[in-house]
Amino acid sequence: MNPFALLIGLTFGFLIVASGLSSYTVIHDMLLLREPDVFLLMGPSFAVAMPLLWILRRRKWKTPMAGELNLNRVPNERKHVYGGAIFGAGWAAAGTCPGPAIGMAAC
């Protein structure tokens, strides 16, 4: 097991629990569009990640653990829509997505 990956995973889990994203009511209220907190948390993440990934790909950056950064582009297919619908239905039914679910189990 890679100790660096374990440290990143533990830190990510801690931050999810500390931010309240492992709370059923937070996710439930977000899905009902009552609270924008989760959306306000995810928006800046996309705003930072998208241009950084574009820059790193153009510079042919090599990642410390996995080598050259390779972002594969695939066309949208029907199976992606079905997978997204199943994921969304599971998220709505459980009130959580996989990341916070692990944090919920650890609490």
Side-chain angles (χ1 to χ4, degrees), residues 45-60:
S45 301
F46 284 106
V48 169
M50 289 174 59
L52 282 177
L53 284 172
W54 181 79
I55 290 168
L56 294 174
R57 184 171 180 234
R58 293 213 21 142
R59 292 187 177 180
K60 298 186 189 282

Side-chain angles (χ1 to χ4, degrees), residues 81-97:
V81 175
Y82 293 149
I86 291 169
F87 179 81
W91 195 7
T96 187
C97 69

Side-chain angles (χ1 to χ4, degrees), residues 11-88:
T11 303
F12 179 71
F14 172 79
L15 291 173
I16 282 180
V17 172
S19 67
L21 289 178
S22 62
S23 169
Y24 174 81
T25 55
V26 169
I27 301 299
H28 184 73
D29 287 344
M30 182 227 27
L31 291 171
L32 292 174
L33 302 176
R34 290 183 192 153
E35 294 289 332
D37 300 349
V38 181
F39 297 116
L40 293 173
L41 182 74
M42 289 189 298
S45 301
F46 284 106
V48 169
M50 289 174 59
L52 282 177
L53 284 172
W54 181 79
I55 290 168
L56 294 174
R57 184 171 180 234
R58 293 213 21 142
R59 292 187 177 180
K60 298 186 189 282
W61 189 68
K62 294 187 187 273
T63 62
M65 303 259 184
E68 187 172 331
L69 182 65
N70 187 11
L71 303 173
N72 296 328
R73 292 183 179 215
V74 295
N76 292 332
E77 297 178 22
R78 187 173 296 193
K79 64 182 180 182
H80 300 136
V81 175
Y82 293 149
I86 291 169
F87 179 81

